[in-house]
Amino acid sequence: MTKVLDRRPRAGHTDAVRRHQLLRMRGRSVAWVPPALLLVAITIADFNTTGEFRIISWIVLVPGIAAAICGVWGTAVFAVLALVTYVLADNAWPHQYRTGLPDFILVAVGGVLATLACAVRMRGERRMLHMRDVAETIRRTVLRPLPPDWGGLDHAAVYLTADVDARVGGDFYDIQPGPHGTRALLGDVQGKGLGAVEAAAALLGTFREAGYHQAELATVGARLEVRMLRHREHTTALGRDDGDRFATAALLGFPEADPGTVDVMLFGHDPPLVVGSGGVRSLPPGDGLPLGLVELAADGRPHVHRVPLAPGETLLLTTDGVTEARDADGAFYPLADDVARAVAADPRTAEPRRLVAFVRDRTVRHCGGRLADDTTVFAVRRAVRQVVAAEAEHGRLQS
């Protein structure tokens, strides 16, 4: 998949990784340098002070600094070096100027405590790195990587979570090729937390099966609706308080027999933007309620709308993390206008990869990096060679 990676700064578990990367030079660790320099500086400074103002006891800071950036064994080594250096430096002074046993105990206890603190830190970092791996596995399971040109589509996506410590939330997207054409889905589960992730995984699982087997896009939409209702019934039976959860979604179908069109079903979701060298236009708003709320609809399930799609035009789908992004004055991000200006200045912006990167960067800049909700930007278009092949086959059949 042509996937644009998240460049937004992260906190939490990645701080440990970033710190270790900064403390390496040419593949070798240089974490020992700061405490070693401090050890030498304090020793030299002590020999250049008067007897009434001794600072050798400050050497207790050395294992403390090492505990923050070195490993357990490294911290233990600096604790011993600090103690030995203290003894040698203190004994080099006349007896009346020595700090003696009290500061010796201070340095010794400080070294022991620093080593223990380093062990606790290392244990916490290992746990955070493990949790990062678990979260990454969940993310790859829910939002599986998509191969380039998957299902005959050029595509790109970026997913930013509002919680910088999380790797996945309630937004979801996927592409499913099949014998009845390629289908694409983007959605947003109401709420946050693991319950939203669970609902997103359930809907994606249904989409991957129904999108492949079902001939009609409306049937795929119906299967998604039923799956959401079943998921709500299950969570309610478990006594959980998220049994009224729902999801907005945009379901797309790219029929092989008609390469110049796209089928669209909207379940309470904003209509996609069609972005091309000729400008930006929005598809008609949908007539469906979010998944899980079909009983409130007077006309039942939404209809499938087939709309023309010119070669090279890209469908841009976003979740409300983009459309509801606000600046410092409370103004919403003007997505359509901003994209239209960018395409007018450079028509190559309509390419999925460039388009997704542009929307991501502009959204984050508009809200000052403070995303209020999970944010997904998803762009798809028919691969040019697939359009040419389909039109040639369509012409051959008509002749």
Side-chain angles (χ1 to χ4, degrees):
M1 178 181 184
T2 307
K3 184 169 183 179
V4 182
L5 299 180
D6 174 11
R7 294 201 300 258
R8 188 164 62 105
R10 291 183 178 274
H13 52 256
T14 54
D15 288 345
V17 179
R18 186 178 297 109
R19 179 170 60 250
H20 288 306
Q21 290 174 343
L22 292 175
L23 294 175
R24 299 188 71 85
M25 182 177 297
R26 296 182 179 179
R28 296 178 179 273
S29 174
V30 293
W32 57 272
V33 174
L37 292 177
L38 182 63
L39 178 71
V40 173
I42 291 176
T43 304
I44 294 175
D46 182 71
F47 278 110
N48 287 275
T49 58
T50 62
E52 290 78 11
F53 184 71
R54 297 286 311 285
I55 66 169
I56 191 61
S57 58
W58 294 9
I59 209 167
V60 72
L61 297 174
V62 171
I65 297 297
I69 58 178
C70 297
V72 176
W73 285 108
T75 302
V77 168
F78 276 109
V80 173
L81 284 176
L83 190 61
V84 172
T85 303
Y86 168 81
V87 173
L88 295 177
D90 196 44
N91 288 333
W93 284 82
H95 180 76
Q96 65 270 25
Y97 296 125
R98 295 176 186 175
T99 55
L101 182 61
D103 284 358
F104 175 85
I105 296 176
L106 172 66
V107 175
V109 172
V112 172
L113 293 178
T115 304
L116 293 176
C118 182
V120 173
R121 176 182 66 83
M122 294 295 293
R123 180 179 179 182
E125 287 188 359
R126 284 194 295 268
R127 180 177 178 83
M128 285 188 289
L129 291 174
H130 174 69
M131 293 304 296
R132 181 195 65 175
D133 293 338
V134 171
E136 180 65 18
T137 301
I138 295 174
R139 187 191 68 82
R140 292 176 63 87
T141 300
V142 177
L143 302 177
R144 62 180 181 177
L146 299 175
D149 296 336
W150 185 234
L153 299 180
D154 290 333
H155 52 84
V158 65
Y159 179 49
L160 307 176
T161 55
D163 181 359
V164 295
D165 292 328
R167 299 286 290 176
V168 68
D171 289 3
F172 57 93
Y173 62 88
D174 201 7
I175 296 174
Q176 180 58 60
H180 309 290
T182 299
R183 277 74 184 263
L185 175 70
L186 177 134
D188 181 5
V189 177
Q190 173 262 336
K192 301 181 183 297
L194 293 178
V197 177
E198 183 182 3
L203 290 172
L204 282 173
T206 298
F207 168 72
R208 289 162 186 167
E209 289 301 310
Y212 180 88
H213 290 288
Q214 300 300 326
E216 300 296 331
L217 190 68
T219 307
V220 179
R223 292 283 300 274
L224 291 172
E225 179 66 51
V226 171
R227 185 66 184 92
M228 191 67 201
L229 292 175
R230 290 174 54 203
H231 180 75
R232 291 175 55 178
E233 292 174 357
H234 180 256
T235 55
T236 300
L238 291 175
R240 288 164 42 178
D241 57 0
D242 58 348
D244 58 348
R245 197 181 295 274
F246 59 87
T248 62
L251 179 62
L252 308 179
F254 296 86
E256 293 182 349
D258 195 352
T261 63
V262 61
D263 294 333
V264 182
M265 290 186 72
L266 297 177
F267 298 88
H269 203 279
D270 291 332
L273 293 178
V274 180
V275 183
S277 57
V280 177
R281 73 179 192 273
S282 177
L283 296 183
D287 54 359
L289 292 179
L291 296 171
L293 302 180
V294 67
E295 68 274 7
L296 302 179
D299 299 331
R301 297 185 178 91
H303 299 89
V304 177
H305 298 278
R306 177 163 293 189
V307 297
L309 194 65
E313 286 189 324
T314 300
L315 289 167
L316 174 64
L317 302 96
T318 63
T319 57
D320 53 13
V322 174
T323 56
E324 296 182 4
R326 295 173 180 262
D327 62 11
D329 298 326
F332 291 109
Y333 172 54
L335 174 63
D337 294 339
D338 205 19
V339 172
R341 286 190 294 267
V343 173
D346 183 2
R348 295 179 302 171
T349 305
E351 299 173 4
R353 182 180 179 88
R354 292 174 179 267
L355 183 59
V356 164
F358 173 80
V359 175
R360 174 204 58 201
D361 294 344
R362 298 289 292 183
T363 301
V364 173
R365 184 181 304 173
H366 182 80
C367 66
R370 298 180 297 274
L371 296 174
D373 200 355
D374 294 343
T375 301
T376 300
V377 186
F378 187 38
V380 294
R381 71 177 180 184
R382 289 184 185 268
V384 175
R385 60 179 178 274
Q386 294 290 337
V387 175
V388 173
E391 288 179 344
E393 178 66 17
H394 183 65
R396 185 185 67 82
L397 293 175
Q398 285 187 335
S399 61

